Amino acid sequence: MEGSMLSGLNSGVVLSLIAVLWTVVWQNLQHLQLQQFFGRHLSRHARRLAAMVDPYLSVTIAEYEGARMKRSDAFEEVKAYLSDACSRGVRHLRAEGAKDADKLVLSMVDGEEVADEFEGAKVWWWAYSKSPPRADAAAAWWGGGGGAQEERRFYRLFFLERHRELVLDTYLPCVRQQGRAVMVKNRQRKLFTNISTHQWADGGYMRSAWSHVVFEHPKTFATLAMDPAKKKEITDDLDMFKKGKDYYARIGKAWKRGYLLYGPPGTGKSAMIAAMANYLDYDIYDIELTSVHSNTDLRKLFIETTSKSIIVIEDIDCSLDLTGARKKKKKAAAAEDEKDKKDGAAAAAKAGAEGKKDTSSKVTLSGLLNFIDGLWSACGGERIIVFTTNHVEKLDPALIRRGRMDKHIEMSYCGFEAFKFLAKTYLDVDAHALFDAVGELLREVEMTPADVAENLTPKSLEDNPDTCLAALVKALEEAKEKKANGERNDQQDEEEDGEEQ
């Protein structure tokens, strides 16, 4: 009896020791990563077995790269290449407008497959998309928002393993090259505007920062009211920039150039931007700074712009507090800090109570300066940045110095040369008896090209060059009289102030 009990006890002790030893050994095995070692070998054999059963390889091209920071050029090139191949064998197509108003650009819808052949090798392209994940690293980095979800889009290429080198080294580069050619042929110039940054993230996955329409503005330098010599100076500068890729690389500068257009309202700043875009054949990105939440969001906007584009911020003196009174601000900042903290805390508490997000813009002067010529400004190339303002004296000198705004262009009131250009454009007259009167009045009063053009525009079928020029002379004389009355009133006020003193 006692022997049996001792035997059972010894067996229990032995089992316990074995369990302890196994635990120690297993922990050491884990430490030595032997599990991963065996796992890799099993996986390798599984892949070899799969290759015997399925001899096809695949390459996946995603719509975005770099954690969705930048739209993939390769994806757009493949899409353009396949737009030509799609019409051959795909049953369900997506149609978009083309450069030719009567034609369409076709592409595959999700789930469709098209075959292609290259130097005897047959390959297959498959289009598909995935729903966005609920949590995305890129969305966390850029910030959240709300709106309709946007799916991730992909193209996957299938080919036989024996064609690996041919497909990877020759076929895919050929696809990209032909895709770029198709993109140039079908290209429609676009006018982009930025979406409010609080609409970028959708369920944890970001949307594009831009929406667009086709750019069809008719203004050109040929129809721009400006002194011919000044116009030629600007077009020469644009030509040098467009052809300056090698020059900018040689001097070590990002291939971009800044233009500051300043002058009173109605002097043609927006028309100048349209003429520049038409002259260079560039897209336009029009940034509304008040819709940009932070400096980081502004950086994302820049990254998503393409080359051959003009990035515009109009009326920059009105968009944000970017004026030149920085020294005064520093003195006032200390006094207002405490008040701002209290107001900010109250606003945050109110927003939290109401379940609302802070939608005000936090873009700073420093962030805008980095946007213009910081490290991120070198992402991409062949971009022009244009600022417009009615009050150049209000802008911070750091914002408009050379190197940021390289060329300053004053859009001034209408002079006699600009008037003659407008008369030829609107009335088709090179000379008239009233030209001298108009020239004399333009030297005495200030009138914008927009106002001059309006007076020269026929308002009825009975209008002709005589009536339109007479209307302009009348408007100039009224402006002259108004100016004289204003000067007399100012003089009287000064005399009255002198008598009181």
Side-chain angles (χ1 to χ4, degrees), residues 196-486:
S196 176
T197 56
H198 294 281
Q199 300 178 28
W200 284 359
D202 32 24
Y205 201 62
M206 297 184 313
R207 302 174 56 186
S208 172
W210 298 96
S211 61
H212 71 268
V213 296
V214 176
F215 179 70
E216 298 177 323
H217 201 291
K219 180 61 67 176
T220 65
F221 279 107
T223 59
L224 186 68
M226 179 179 282
D227 182 86
K230 188 173 183 180
K231 195 185 299 187
K232 185 177 186 308
E233 177 189 338
I234 295 170
T235 56
D236 287 347
D237 190 84
L238 292 172
D239 287 335
M240 288 297 294
F241 171 78
K242 189 171 185 178
K243 300 173 183 177
K245 180 178 181 180
D246 294 336
Y247 171 76
Y248 279 86
R250 180 168 62 82
I251 64 176
K253 287 180 64 176
W255 190 13
K256 64 178 184 59
R257 188 160 176 80
Y259 287 79
L260 175 68
L261 309 182
Y262 65 96
T267 51
K269 295 184 289 294
S270 297
M272 169 65 79
I273 295 170
M276 292 168 67
N278 284 324
Y279 184 78
L280 295 169
D281 197 29
Y282 283 6
D283 295 325
I284 294 179
Y285 289 84
D286 184 16
I287 297 180
E288 175 54 58
L289 278 182
T290 56
S291 297
V292 183
H293 182 65
S294 66
N295 295 335
T296 300
D297 294 337
L298 183 63
R299 190 178 302 144
K300 177 186 179 339
L301 283 172
F302 185 84
I303 292 170
E304 286 209 0
T305 61
T306 61
S307 60
K308 297 184 182 296
S309 62
I310 299 177
I311 301 169
V312 179
I313 302 179
E314 293 196 274
D315 297 319
I316 193 168
D317 55 302
C318 302
S319 299
L320 295 171
D321 188 9
L322 301 171
T323 58
R326 284 191 291 176
K327 293 182 180 179
K328 294 180 181 178
K329 287 180 192 175
K330 288 180 180 178
K331 294 179 181 179
E336 294 184 3
D337 250 0
E338 193 63 31
K339 181 178 181 300
D340 288 344
K341 289 179 182 178
K342 292 179 181 178
D343 293 344
K350 183 178 179 181
E354 296 176 357
K356 296 180 179 178
K357 293 185 178 181
D358 181 10
T359 58
S360 61
S361 178
K362 300 296 190 298
V363 175
T364 64
L365 176 61
S366 173
L368 189 57
L369 296 182
N370 288 328
F371 165 82
I372 299 169
D373 69 347
L375 292 174
W376 290 86
S377 68
C379 297
E382 201 172 352
R383 292 185 179 95
I384 286 177
I385 301 174
V386 178
F387 291 166
T388 73
T389 179
N390 297 334
H391 305 284
V392 66
E393 70 281 356
K394 291 184 178 181
L395 295 179
D396 194 299
L399 184 65
I400 59 175
R401 67 164 175 79
R402 297 304 197 273
R404 289 181 175 136
M405 292 292 103
D406 304 285
K407 189 169 183 63
H408 296 191
I409 302 173
E410 182 180 6
M411 308 296 291
S412 58
Y413 291 104
C414 189
F416 186 60
E417 291 299 323
F419 156 72
K420 289 196 296 182
F421 176 85
L422 289 170
K424 176 63 177 176
T425 302
Y426 282 75
L427 304 175
D428 196 24
V429 294
D430 295 305
H432 194 277
L434 293 176
F435 272 26
D436 292 338
V438 171
E440 184 66 27
L441 287 166
L442 286 175
R443 284 189 286 271
E444 297 180 20
V445 296
E446 295 176 335
M447 182 174 283
T448 65
D451 289 331
V452 172
E454 178 59 27
N455 282 287
L456 293 178
T457 302
K459 308 298 191 301
S460 69
L461 296 176
E462 289 76 22
D463 279 340
N464 54 52
D466 295 334
T467 58
C468 291
L469 286 168
L472 175 59
V473 170
K474 181 181 177 182
L476 288 168
E477 288 175 342
E478 290 174 353
K480 179 181 177 181
E481 183 179 352
K482 184 177 179 181
K483 178 183 178 182
N485 291 335

Side-chain angles (χ1 to χ4, degrees), residues 51-59 116 118 120-124 157-168 171:
M52 295 173 62
V53 178
D54 180 10
Y56 290 94
L57 304 181
S58 68
V59 174
D116 196 15
F118 180 79
K122 195 169 184 179
V123 299
W124 294 264
L157 173 66
F158 295 93
F159 54 94
L160 290 170
E161 186 172 8
R162 67 173 179 267
H163 297 143
R164 175 195 289 266
E165 292 185 3
L166 176 65
V167 171
L168 297 182
Y171 174 69

